[in-house]
Amino acid sequence: MRIRTGYTIAFDMFGPTPMLLLLNVRPERRRDLVTPERITFDPPVEARQHLDEFGNLRTRIVAPGGRITMSADFLIEDSGLPDAVAPEARQIPVQDLPDDVLVYLLGSRYCDTDKLSQTAWSLFGTTPEGWARVQAIVDYAHARLRFDYQQADATRSAHDGHSQQVGVCRDFAHLAITLCRCMNIPARYATGYLGDIGVPPVPDPMDFSAWFEVYLEGPEGPRWYTFDARHNTPRIGRIVMAFGRDATDCAITTSFGPAPLARFEVHTDEVGGDFLIGRAA
């Protein structure tokens, strides 16, 4: 299938302000692009890109004073398959994990494992290891939190979300990630596009989405598997933009100075195979 996706985001700056942007799809998905994925800036600014420590494509700019708008609109191919399900996938002992995976066992800014470790072991210590344990954690987070777009809080940690029992997609992901790490299951945060493809549309405004991945030994060897504590069902059409320890590493925009948000629109829709940006082929 083909998915048309993109965004328009605008900020009001009080003067020249350095910014970091994670607005591109992950390098692994760039081969799936049907049309170029270019960030357009109004007014034009010099932009420089590099790979960050997690392999995400990061853009650096200095936004001028006044309003700056950044946008993109592109087509990408997708398999149309739902998230993989592997109930037989097993948990890998910590001593056998690859070196670069170990960081996803540690606590981080929003994943305060020290505050939830006892809770995790009391809830999941007797569940079967591997896929079944991860699914039990996802079920718990899905039931524990109530989704409320109006209750978004950029400072809410996993422990806060567990106590407050409310949040948005990032809070569902943070809670599930934290509980997995407490149980010695490597878990990483993911952010990107997830449209209402194959499911009834929801009334909430379109936004970037957050989910997570865990590292397990599957039928074809060790790999990362996708889980989604908010929706708790395999979904179609995920387009990853960034991986990291939590939302800190995957922030779509980071400004080094005041930057009030003036406009925020995201679109993600399945289109016909012959559709091209601006016209039907």
Side-chain angles (χ1 to χ4, degrees):
M1 69 164 58
R2 287 185 175 184
I3 299 174
R4 180 182 184 180
T5 193
Y7 54 85
T8 299
I9 306 173
F11 297 93
D12 289 327
M13 303 296 186
F14 296 100
T17 305
M19 297 188 74
L20 302 178
L21 314 174
L22 289 177
L23 288 170
N24 291 94
V25 299
R26 282 276 303 186
E28 301 93 330
R29 292 301 303 269
R30 298 193 69 78
R31 63 179 179 271
D32 298 326
L33 291 171
V34 178
T35 61
E37 181 201 22
R38 298 191 183 98
I39 306 175
T40 300
F41 296 99
D42 181 18
V45 296
E46 182 181 353
R48 180 166 61 87
Q49 293 188 320
H50 66 276
L51 295 180
D52 70 10
E53 57 270 39
F54 299 99
N56 306 313
L57 186 57
R58 177 190 283 161
T59 302
R60 296 183 64 172
I61 67 168
V62 177
R67 178 160 297 185
I68 183 169
T69 301
M70 49 200 76
S71 60
D73 186 25
F74 60 95
L75 292 179
I76 189 168
E77 289 279 1
D78 191 79
S79 68
L81 299 175
D83 303 325
V85 177
E88 67 276 32
R90 68 176 186 85
Q91 187 168 331
I92 303 171
V94 173
Q95 62 269 24
D96 296 332
L97 290 168
D99 296 340
D100 61 346
V101 173
L102 290 174
V103 67
Y104 298 108
L105 288 177
L106 306 178
S108 55
R109 165 65 180 86
Y110 293 104
C111 298
D112 35 4
T113 52
D114 54 335
K115 295 182 179 180
L116 284 171
S117 180
Q118 184 174 349
T119 298
W121 280 97
S122 66
L123 289 170
F124 309 109
T126 59
T127 58
E129 291 188 352
W131 187 278
R133 178 169 286 176
V134 177
Q135 187 58 59
I137 289 172
V138 171
D139 291 343
Y140 178 82
H142 180 75
R144 178 77 180 182
L145 301 185
R146 174 178 58 85
F147 183 86
D148 188 339
Y149 196 80
Q150 302 302 317
Q151 295 295 319
D153 181 350
T155 67
R156 182 184 289 124
S157 70
H159 182 263
D160 294 335
H162 187 263
S163 299
Q164 298 166 9
Q165 300 186 51
V166 69
V168 293
C169 57
R170 61 180 265 161
D171 300 304
F172 284 80
H174 284 149
L175 178 56
I177 288 170
T178 304
L179 295 173
C180 283
R181 291 180 186 173
C182 289
M183 304 305 296
N184 296 327
I185 302 169
R188 67 183 183 184
Y189 186 94
T191 191
Y193 299 97
L194 180 62
D196 298 324
I197 299 174
V199 298
V202 297
D204 298 314
M206 181 65 70
D207 197 349
F208 296 112
S209 190
W211 58 91
F212 74 106
E213 295 188 347
V214 299
Y215 194 77
L216 297 173
E217 177 84 34
E220 299 176 357
R223 55 162 287 189
W224 291 98
Y225 287 95
T226 297
F227 285 86
D228 188 333
R230 180 197 168 187
H231 299 105
N232 199 14
T233 187
R235 292 287 295 269
I236 297 169
R238 296 186 195 272
I239 305 170
V240 180
M241 300 168 74
F243 290 128
R245 293 165 298 181
D246 57 29
T248 300
D249 299 326
C250 299
I252 297 301
T253 64
T254 301
S255 62
F256 296 89
L261 184 65
R263 183 180 178 186
F264 185 87
E265 299 171 3
V266 179
H267 60 272
T268 308
D269 301 289
E270 181 184 1
V271 297
D274 59 351
F275 183 90
L276 293 176
I277 299 296
R279 65 181 179 88

